[in-house]
Amino acid sequence: MRMQAAVHLVYPPQCLSCDALVTTDFGLCARCWRETPFIAGLVCDCCGTPLPGEEAGGPVQCDDCLAIARPWSRGRAAMLYKDNARHLVMALKHGDRLDLARPAAGWLLRVAQPLLAPDALIAPVPLHWLRLLKRRYNQSALLAGALARLTDLPHCPDLLIRHRNTRSQEGRDRDGRFRNLDGAIRLHARRRWQVEGRPILLVDDVMTSGATLAACAEACLAAGAARVDVLVLTRVAKDG
């Protein structure tokens, strides 16, 4: 404690998102906290997007999840992908802000409680090796690993393989996103024994259409997973 206090005297804790001083490590200042759209209250049980109304005690689903057959069972999201949440995700994904994985795992844990089965295996959405070589790290694997440490659940960073280098999903409509991911993800041949008969918790940084998570879930279920749940740091949701 004395060492930490001495370090804080020389290097006072700063906001994760800006240069403002804060009282604890890995925190947000009051302004950045207000600008970060954390999800709370009634949410879609399948993707975690916020819904109007009060919690009624039973699972409900958003219009998208009612219209699209999701291969996974349940899903949660920590934040909406906008404002300061988008800034934080982009910093983690493209700005080498690996330090954000630790606090982000805490935000994930806050919403993940319904998904945390005692025998669950945590696994990230994979990157193709060419993209991993360029970026040097998989941000989803960083989030999954940090969450595993908080929950004491096992983590398999290479459970899934993106064997085809899919083109960017940006600018594609929903159908185009699903076509782009068709057949692109499969289970690591040497990890099948870890999947059979157990629940899998997939972790990603952003969910838009759900095409990538669907491809991952289908690969796990085809290998014998008992069920698949999904957990994302941010969810792209329609305004209103």
Side-chain angles (χ1 to χ4, degrees):
M1 295 294 292
R2 290 182 179 178
M3 178 63 72
Q4 185 179 35
V7 170
H8 282 173
L9 284 174
V10 181
Y11 303 105
Q14 290 182 303
C15 173
L16 288 168
S17 187
C18 70
D19 294 331
L21 298 182
V22 293
T23 57
T24 60
D25 292 321
F26 305 108
L28 293 169
C29 69
R31 180 179 64 83
C32 289
W33 181 272
R34 289 192 301 270
E35 294 175 358
T36 305
F38 289 99
I39 294 175
L42 183 65
V43 299
C44 173
D45 192 54
C46 204
C47 74
T49 196
L51 296 173
E54 302 293 331
E55 295 189 45
V60 292
Q61 293 185 1
C62 67
D63 291 343
D64 281 352
C65 291
L66 289 171
I68 304 171
R70 305 290 195 191
W72 63 83
S73 298
R74 296 172 299 173
R76 292 295 185 272
M79 302 178 286
L80 290 176
Y81 184 68
K82 64 179 184 179
D83 304 332
N84 196 49
R86 184 180 185 279
H87 167 75
L88 291 169
V89 167
M90 296 302 289
L92 171 64
K93 195 169 185 173
H94 300 297
D96 291 336
R97 288 289 309 276
L98 278 64
D99 60 298
L100 291 173
R102 177 176 169 180
W107 302 333
L108 287 170
L109 181 61
R110 180 181 62 85
V111 298
Q113 297 303 320
L115 315 180
L116 297 178
D119 57 341
L121 176 66
I122 297 177
V125 168
L127 286 179
H128 187 267
W129 69 269
L130 285 174
R131 191 168 297 179
L132 183 60
L133 187 65
K134 180 180 180 181
R135 191 176 295 172
R136 305 188 309 283
Y137 61 90
N138 177 359
Q139 71 281 355
S140 298
L142 293 177
L143 293 171
L147 180 67
R149 287 189 289 274
L150 289 179
T151 58
D152 289 325
L153 290 173
H155 170 226
C156 187
D158 62 346
L159 183 72
L160 296 165
I161 298 172
R162 192 183 295 246
H163 64 93
R164 179 163 58 81
N165 192 13
T166 54
R167 292 170 292 176
S168 172
Q169 296 279 65
E170 189 172 352
R172 298 176 186 271
D173 61 16
R174 179 185 294 165
D175 291 342
R177 286 172 179 265
F178 278 87
R179 284 195 301 270
N180 191 36
L181 268 295
D182 185 34
I185 294 173
R186 64 188 179 196
L187 196 83
H188 192 302
R190 295 181 180 178
R191 303 289 180 257
R192 182 176 292 270
W193 65 273
Q194 294 181 267
V195 171
E196 294 180 349
R198 75 187 304 179
I200 307 298
L201 179 58
L202 295 174
V203 176
D204 203 3
D205 57 338
V206 183
M207 175 182 173
T208 304
S209 66
T212 304
L213 287 163
C216 293
E218 287 167 353
C220 292
L221 292 170
R227 73 166 189 274
V228 177
D229 295 321
V230 301
L231 179 65
V232 296
L233 184 59
T234 59
R235 173 73 166 103
V236 177
K238 298 174 182 177
D239 292 332

